[in-house]
Amino acid sequence: MISSSEKIVQSKYKNKAIFLDRDGVINHLVSRDHGFYSPRYLKDFMIYSDVKEFIRFFKKKQYYIIIISNQPDISRGKMKIEELNSIDRFLNEKLDIDEIRYSFDSQVTDGGSKKPSAKMVFEAQNKWNIDLSKSYFLGDSLVDIECAKNANIFFILVRREHNQEIEYPYCVNSLNDVHKMINNTI
């Protein structure tokens, strides 16, 4: 039996969303300083070929598309906000995205928004009236996995060239395969 408080929670959130990490899922990482990192300049920002069709498919299924991304290079002074704004304009021109949410925190802190905190997910949930039980989080890192756990949202690991060593039971090698994995729910 469902209690009256559970009925209120169930009825409050009606929409569904796909939460996407940005760097490594939507766009290629940049090789720098013996590792792979977020691009700091629009000229280095390259969208993966499977992103546009993926977004088109889920928009037709009435999912909101929300990017959730850590961008500590802003607070660390390694990237200018104007460059990030240029990247956002580029993303919004190329892709049908409903919202982009960033954490500029350089450290994980209590009450902060840097993933693995679920704060950005919960803020989007409230803004867009999202039922997290009908939504998905797609990412490419252990931090993304933890963020999804903290938000109690189903996570799918997107395998790319930089994260082949991460083990996770639900993973895809292409965004084009996501709909097959969650086909029973859409």
Side-chain angles (χ1 to χ4, degrees):
M1 182 168 167
I2 297 174
S3 72
S4 60
S5 63
E6 287 176 314
K7 287 180 186 175
I8 292 168
V9 170
Q10 286 178 348
S11 65
K12 179 180 177 184
Y13 299 111
K14 304 231 184 270
N15 299 315
K16 51 193 177 180
I18 301 288
F19 294 93
L20 294 161
D21 175 48
R22 194 190 80 178
D23 302 316
V25 174
I26 292 176
N27 61 279
H28 292 263
L29 297 177
V30 175
S31 179
R32 174 176 68 236
D33 302 327
H34 309 292
F36 293 99
Y37 299 96
S38 172
R40 293 178 179 159
Y41 304 99
L42 177 59
K43 68 180 180 63
D44 297 327
F45 195 87
M46 296 185 337
I47 296 174
Y48 279 103
S49 62
D50 57 0
V51 174
K52 194 174 259 188
E53 185 56 38
F54 166 83
I55 290 174
R56 190 173 321 163
F57 177 85
F58 281 97
K59 291 297 282 189
K60 285 180 184 174
K61 299 293 183 182
Q62 299 180 326
Y63 281 81
Y64 286 113
I65 304 297
I66 301 171
I67 296 173
I68 304 288
S69 181
N70 290 340
Q71 293 298 316
D73 280 353
I74 296 293
S75 62
R76 294 175 183 159
K78 295 182 177 188
M79 181 181 189
K80 295 189 181 297
I81 193 72
E82 295 80 17
E83 199 67 27
L84 183 63
N85 291 338
S86 294
I87 290 171
D88 286 353
R89 281 191 297 278
F90 176 78
L91 277 169
N92 283 306
E93 288 170 9
K94 299 291 182 189
L95 305 173
D96 189 5
I97 296 168
D98 293 294
E99 184 175 20
I100 303 172
R101 289 189 166 265
Y102 291 122
S103 172
F104 300 135
D105 298 349
S106 63
Q107 302 288 327
V108 174
T109 60
D110 282 344
S113 59
K114 185 174 184 176
K115 293 182 291 181
S117 167
K119 185 175 184 176
M120 291 186 284
V121 173
F122 294 142
E123 289 170 347
Q125 177 188 30
N126 288 325
K127 177 180 178 180
W128 297 95
N129 196 26
I130 296 169
D131 181 344
L132 296 179
S133 71
K134 296 177 183 172
S135 301
Y136 300 90
F137 190 118
L138 281 71
D140 67 327
S141 70
L142 296 174
V143 168
D144 293 331
I145 293 169
E146 289 303 311
C147 179
K149 281 183 188 175
N150 292 335
N152 197 26
I153 187 171
F154 190 88
F155 182 80
I156 299 171
L157 178 71
V158 181
R159 288 217 187 275
R160 301 290 194 194
E161 63 275 2
H162 63 274
N163 69 348
Q164 295 296 310
E165 75 287 351
I166 299 176
E167 295 292 329
Y168 196 75
Y170 306 102
C171 65
V172 293
N173 292 315
S174 168
L175 290 175
N176 295 326
D177 296 332
V178 171
H179 70 281
K180 295 173 194 166
M181 178 175 284
I182 61 177
N183 196 28
N184 295 335
T185 64
I186 59 174

